[in-house]
Amino acid sequence: MATRWGICGAGKICHDFTVALKTLPAGNHKIVAVAARILQNAEEFAKKHNIPKAYGSYEELAKDPEIDVVYLGVLHTQHLRVGLLFLRAGRNVLCEKPFAMNSREVKQLIASARENNVFLMEGIWSRCFPVHVEVCRLLAEDTVGEVKMVKAYFGSPQLHIPRSVEKELGGGALLDIGVYCLQFVLMVYRGERPESVHATGVRLETGVDESMVVVLKFSRNRMAICGFSIAVAMPNDATICGTKGTITVPFPMWCPTRLVVNGQESQYPLPEPSMPLHYTNSTGLRYEAEEVRQCLLKGLKESSQMSLEESSLLTEIMDEARHQVGVVFPQDGE
């Protein structure tokens, strides 16, 4: 039986997620409804993607008994409010990254999921890519020895995009793209809490971070360096340095199709989309969708690919980095 999806939002990422689902077997995944704040937007989205039902409110989607899981693709400033709406309605949720605006909000979402006994996962789609799954396997097999240093960089000129620069829209490099670098480090170090977090950066006049460098120290003298910016392009790759070799995830490290292990490259091609996409390699969203399906079939309430504990730790690290750079959002208050 197909996993029945409800799409919350009618924006660019929801379009790409919907296109990605179409690369999976129709007997396994089916979109049955889409909801937007404006009914016309939902109806246009439904017509474009051949979705049976369109709702002009998120509340209507939450009440739909034919939904198995909701893809939450609204702006992250709304993740807490809208996420709680679905969780309290007993709906399983795949929440687009970043999970929420801060650690306090993330803990609220996790607590609600557990209270209502439903599945919840942060949509760090990188974790489900075959490249990252292979990286975890190689590390488990000690292919490059003991990892001593991890480097991850992501820079994308986005100063012209309001969502990236406005504080009211949850802007800044950290929440939008820096999250990919930090999650990669936690993946390599298997969700271990760092001993220290040191961040420095520069802020825009709007008060959000334009560029940031974060240095993390882990037990046994292991380190990580992350650099990210919404002002300039960067290599957008990641390197794992071990005592017996290196693993490199080339551009684009957040949605990779190549892997270099001790100089030997492997390819992991993506299926072609049936429609134009808004973001790089978005058909790779299929991997997190299939991970959700497998978890639901097994009766799991969270994914081992991106556990709720690790999502919580990731947000705590981002909170600390923001604090050191002086980035404060309205959601950080009482």
Side-chain angles (χ1 to χ4, degrees), residues 4 20 22 66 69 79 83 85 88 99 147 180-181 196 204 231 233 237 243 247 254 273 276 293 300 304 323:
R4 300 170 300 177
K22 293 176 183 177
E66 296 182 353
V69 57
H79 283 182
L85 168 70
R88 289 168 177 169
F99 216 161
V147 176
Y180 287 117
C181 300
S196 64
L204 297 170
D237 58 9
T243 55
I247 298 173
W254 71 98
R293 172 174 165 80
L300 302 177
S304 60
H323 173 73

Side-chain angles (χ1 to χ4, degrees), residues 117 119 293-302:
N117 195 34
F119 176 88
R293 172 174 165 80
Q294 293 304 318
C295 288
L296 295 179
L297 289 174
K298 296 172 185 175
L300 302 177
K301 302 306 178 185
E302 62 180 290

Side-chain angles (χ1 to χ4, degrees), residues 6-8 33 35 55 57-64 67 70 86:
I7 305 297
C8 179
Y55 296 124
S57 72
Y58 304 144
E59 288 78 8
E60 290 175 279
L61 183 63
K63 295 175 182 177
D64 190 329
I67 301 296
V70 173
F86 289 114

Side-chain angles (χ1 to χ4, degrees), residues 96-128:
E96 186 53 63
K97 66 83 194 166
F99 216 161
M101 292 299 293
N102 54 40
S103 180
R104 177 181 56 80
E105 291 192 350
V106 168
K107 286 179 170 60
Q108 284 183 261
L109 287 170
I110 293 174
S112 181
R114 289 173 175 166
E115 179 181 349
N116 292 285
N117 195 34
V118 292
F119 176 88
L120 176 63
M121 177 181 172
E122 180 180 13
I124 303 286
W125 63 321
S126 310
R127 287 297 181 91
C128 302

Side-chain angles (χ1 to χ4, degrees), residues 218-291:
F218 292 82
S219 65
R220 305 195 307 277
N221 298 321
R222 296 168 298 151
M223 301 286 292
I225 302 172
C226 298
F228 36 90
S229 174
I230 54 172
V232 295
M234 294 176 71
N236 298 351
D237 58 9
T239 303
I240 302 166
C241 304
T243 55
K244 297 192 298 185
T246 62
I247 298 173
T248 299
V249 180
F251 173 91
M253 58 80 66
W254 71 98
C255 52
T257 57
R258 296 180 296 143
L259 181 64
V260 182
V261 182
N262 294 329
Q264 299 296 313
E265 181 173 315
S266 301
Q267 303 278 345
Y268 299 80
L270 288 167
E272 289 297 317
S274 58
M275 294 181 179
L277 299 169
H278 294 288
Y279 302 110
T280 303
N281 288 351
S282 279
T283 48
L285 288 162
R286 71 200 302 269
Y287 299 123
E288 68 174 6
E290 182 59 23
E291 169 65 11

